[in-house]
Amino acid sequence: MSEVPEDIAETVVKRFEEELKKPVRLVYFTQEMECPFCAQTHQLLETVAKLSENIGFEVYDFVKDKEKAEELGIEKIPALAILGGKDYGLRFYGIPSGYEFQTLIEGIILVSSGDSQLPSEAVEVLAKAATSPVHIQIFVIPTCPVCPVLGAMAFQFAVANSNISVDIVEIAEFPHLVNKYNVIGTPKAALNETTQFEGLVPPMQFINFIQQAAQGSPTGISPTI
Amino acid sequence: MKKVTEKQAIYDIAIIGSGVTGLAAAMYAGRMKLKTILIGFPPGGVIATTDWIENYPGFISLSGKELADKITAHAKEYGIEPILDNVTDVSQQDGVFVVQTAFRQYRAKTILFSTGTHYRKLEVPGSDTYEGKGVQFCGLCDGPMFQNKTLAVVGGGDSAAKEALILTQWAQRIYIMVRGDRLKAEPINLERVNQSEKITLLLNTNVTRIEGGDRVEKVLLDKPFQGNKELAVQGVFIAIGSVPLSDLAKKLGVKTNPKGEIVINRQTGTNIKGVFAAGDVTDTEFKQAITGVAEGVLAVYQAYKYIGGEAVSSCVDEEYLDCPMASENLRKQPE
């Protein structure tokens, strides 16, 4: 999907009008010799940016704008950094199409407000768990209906806690990562190269994995769904 | 368990489970002006992993997630904000129900269990070993990982048929292993299975073992197929039914049947006053999204009455003599 269907666009516009109160920057990285989905991703993000006057859209060349890429920690393309009043560490690698469009919208709304929308008790528990930097990669595919739940939850954690950064990775575009992380089902999460889990887990279980990753404890489980 | 404090708000109804049943119940509770809390995870429940639904009236075809999203949006119109979390405990203290999540505690006058079900696991050697390594439960989530592969779908009902049909988008060949002598799918899905060139039905066949290296490589069968009891597959999708998620209800003392389903009466009541149940977790025979939604709505109405709400008339015109809400004077008038 590179264009947003009219009915979905209307819903998103309504949500943006209600919830997008502060500016958001969609910072997109592509390159001159574009990757297979770069053009479609570019078009999709440009369309989304037009759905609210509070969204800015910036395009950088991954090669020519190396410094900018390094500043935002971008290592592959197509890449999107979703920036609000500050950089909360929300990244999207690959096209946010299919069900992943929802994750993109949730990310935009979260960084706009800077409010994770988590209950205060969860924020407290998270603060005790993420005592050192935790980089979360969530591997998804556009047809996975439960993936946005995990992705949006991870985005909430990143907004709530500056030690957490999140990459959503659309695996069809990064087959080497499928092999590296042995992705056979989605969603799958890899935290700090030490901790992995498969499937959708509730918030407290996710926080437990974050704590393990922060402490450098290797682990991995495979809940169903 | 945190101690209950007097400052905590008391909800009229706590709905546990955020599948379509719980969502629809919450929407109605909002309309009934009940102070409502809806807690559940994952949002949308199991139906959210269904690719297409063609038997929900009003929608010729839509995905399970679309249906759940639509009902969620409808509930939000009435002020319902679902809480995405698992309930870890339910108890009864001082005449109110106490619902505990990982982070918070809620108190309510009534409870509705709409906790649904979870996938049933295949209990054969190798099933646990290869879970997530080729033994999968969600065709939509994991199907693209099996591009041009040969797959087994284990199950004899409509879920197995639908799972196999979803997987035809990616797989080269799919074998449905049916324990019985026929696939008990909805006729329309059975027809689609029979018409698919990618699907082969293996009737009266059980998988007895799943084997492989790092990932699934083959299944062993109890009956030879093309002269061989070993079948090379790269994935096994399990669709052998579901297990009701009734442990919390049982802990509260709610009666269940031998299958673990919550026993309800025609008004969705359980053996405990103020506790209602609806949807796939109950002992209702025909479990569909539409029947769960209807039960959820009925349960909310019963909860509304239980806490003292006045009966709602369905009559269009209360002067109509057959209407239960017609005034006594009207009823006494000769025809």
Side-chain angles (χ1 to χ4, degrees):
Chain A
M1 180 182 71
S2 54
E3 293 187 1
V4 181
E6 205 170 315
D7 57 332
I8 293 176
E10 280 176 18
T11 307
V12 172
V13 166
K14 190 181 168 205
R15 274 200 77 186
F16 282 168
E17 282 173 358
E18 290 170 359
E19 301 178 57
L20 207 68
K21 301 299 181 195
K22 294 177 186 169
V24 173
R25 291 161 60 205
L26 299 182
V27 182
Y28 174 59
F29 288 85
T30 180
Q31 67 182 34
E32 206 167 314
M33 187 175 282
E34 289 194 318
C35 59
F37 287 93
C38 281
Q40 283 174 274
T41 308
H42 189 147
Q43 191 184 348
L44 174 64
L45 296 175
E46 201 167 32
T47 306
V48 170
K50 287 176 183 168
L51 299 179
S52 169
E53 59 185 17
N54 272 331
I55 301 177
F57 183 47
E58 302 167 27
V59 182
Y60 292 92
D61 187 290
F62 181 56
V63 178
K64 292 177 185 168
D65 300 309
K66 194 178 167 190
E67 279 184 17
K68 188 70 180 175
E70 283 177 356
E71 178 195 324
L72 294 173
I74 302 297
E75 296 170 339
K76 49 190 174 281
I77 57 164
L80 169 70
I82 310 171
L83 308 180
K86 65 175 190 176
D87 181 3
Y88 292 97
L90 274 59
R91 305 287 184 268
F92 213 114
Y93 292 100
I95 185 167
S97 66
Y99 287 120
E100 284 309 311
F101 184 70
Q102 188 178 334
T103 315
L104 170 67
I105 302 304
E106 296 302 328
I108 291 171
I109 288 169
L110 282 167
V111 300
S112 170
S113 67
D115 175 6
S116 70
Q117 297 170 17
L118 290 169
S120 56
E121 293 91 337
V123 176
E124 285 173 28
V125 173
L126 187 62
K128 289 174 185 167
T131 51
S132 61
V134 177
H135 176 228
I136 302 171
Q137 295 180 84
I138 297 192
F139 304 106
V140 301
I141 51 173
T143 61
C144 169
V146 298
C147 290
V149 179
L150 196 73
M153 199 193 308
F155 276 174
Q156 284 183 294
F157 292 158
V159 170
N161 192 298
S162 57
N163 267 336
I164 297 173
S165 58
V166 176
D167 297 351
I168 307 290
V169 183
E170 201 284 283
I171 56 171
E173 295 172 62
F174 303 98
H176 66 288
L177 296 179
V178 173
N179 294 327
K180 181 180 176 184
Y181 293 99
N182 196 25
V183 181
I184 200 167
T186 58
K188 177 162 184 169
L191 299 79
N192 276 5
E193 309 295 332
T194 57
T195 304
Q196 294 188 10
F197 68 86
E198 288 170 8
L200 184 56
V201 297
M204 191 63 223
Q205 204 172 340
F206 199 159
I207 291 173
N208 287 338
F209 284 120
I210 289 171
Q211 184 169 24
Q212 288 168 18
Q215 294 169 349
S217 319
T219 188
I221 62 152
S222 304
T224 49
I225 282 199
Chain B
M1 171 70 74
K2 291 174 189 171
K3 193 179 173 187
V4 177
T5 65
E6 289 304 315
K7 287 180 182 175
Q8 280 184 310
I10 297 182
Y11 290 89
D12 291 326
I13 184 166
I15 299 169
I16 304 174
S18 55
V20 290
T21 297
L23 289 166
M27 183 274 281
Y28 250 79
R31 284 180 62 83
M32 304 291 277
K33 299 290 181 189
L34 295 178
K35 188 173 172 60
T36 304
I37 187 89
L38 168 66
I39 310 166
F41 191 89
V46 169
I47 204 170
T49 61
T50 302
D51 196 11
W52 76 93
I53 293 171
E54 297 168 328
N55 56 5
Y56 198 92
F59 301 98
I60 292 169
S61 180
L62 79 173
S63 73
K65 188 168 188 313
E66 277 181 289
L67 179 62
D69 286 349
K70 283 179 188 294
I71 303 177
T72 303
H74 200 164
K76 285 184 176 181
E77 286 292 316
Y78 295 101
I80 304 296
E81 278 301 329
I83 293 175
L84 300 186
D85 204 352
N86 273 350
V87 172
T88 56
D89 190 53
V90 180
S91 60
Q92 203 168 6
Q93 295 174 26
D94 305 325
V96 295
F97 297 100
V98 181
V99 178
Q100 183 73 46
T101 69
F103 304 111
R104 277 191 186 169
Q105 194 176 78
Y106 305 89
R107 295 198 299 165
K109 296 172 189 169
T110 64
I111 294 268
L112 168 58
F113 285 103
S114 53
T115 39
T117 61
H118 204 273
Y119 301 117
R120 185 182 296 281
K121 294 187 178 187
L122 184 66
E123 292 183 359
V124 300
S127 181
D128 281 345
T129 309
Y130 289 104
E131 191 170 318
K133 296 173 183 171
V135 174
Q136 314 293 133
F137 294 87
C138 175
L140 264 186
C141 311
D142 308 334
M145 248 61 69
F146 294 88
Q147 197 84 39
N148 298 320
K149 305 289 187 193
T150 300
L151 303 175
V153 171
V154 181
D158 196 52
S159 298
K162 289 175 85 171
E163 194 77 333
L165 289 166
I166 287 169
L167 291 168
T168 56
Q169 295 173 72
W170 304 286
Q172 186 181 59
R173 166 68 45 200
I174 299 153
Y175 297 97
I176 306 181
M177 316 293 184
V178 183
R179 188 172 55 181
D181 59 3
R182 68 185 180 91
L183 182 64
K184 295 175 184 170
E186 265 197 80
I188 190 167
N189 290 329
L190 187 60
E191 189 175 88
R192 288 166 176 159
V193 165
N194 289 332
Q195 285 172 352
S196 172
E197 292 178 357
K198 289 187 172 182
I199 300 176
T200 302
L201 277 176
L202 302 189
L203 302 176
N204 299 305
T205 302
N206 290 295
V207 171
T208 59
R209 179 181 285 271
I210 300 167
E211 293 185 350
D214 291 339
R215 295 183 179 190
V216 167
E217 292 173 2
K218 63 183 173 187
V219 290
L220 272 55
L221 310 174
D222 64 349
K223 177 185 162 190
F225 172 64
Q226 294 178 341
N228 198 337
K229 281 193 172 181
E230 284 188 9
L231 183 64
V233 296
Q234 290 79 53
V236 182
F237 283 77
I238 311 296
I240 55 172
S242 51
V243 181
L245 293 170
S246 57
D247 285 353
L248 285 171
K250 284 181 196 166
K251 188 175 175 295
L252 197 60
V254 173
K255 187 180 172 189
T256 56
N257 68 12
K259 292 180 190 171
E261 297 165 333
I262 296 175
V263 177
I264 58 170
N265 59 29
R266 286 193 65 185
Q267 304 301 323
T268 71
T270 69
N271 59 311
I272 297 180
K273 283 185 179 176
V275 178
F276 304 87
D280 288 358
V281 74
T282 71
D283 62 346
T284 306
E285 182 187 351
F286 192 51
K287 299 180 200 299
Q288 300 285 299
I290 186 67
T291 57
V293 162
E295 280 175 5
V297 169
L298 179 58
V300 163
Y301 180 54
Q302 297 306 322
Y304 165 82
K305 287 202 300 183
Y306 176 80
I307 61 173
E310 289 187 16
V312 174
S313 170
S314 302
C315 297
V316 177
D317 182 355
E318 293 190 359
E319 290 185 0
Y320 180 55
L321 289 180
D322 288 341
C323 177
M325 299 297 287
S327 70
E328 285 301 309
N329 288 339
L330 274 173
R331 284 177 177 282
K332 286 172 187 170
Q333 284 178 4
E335 289 190 27

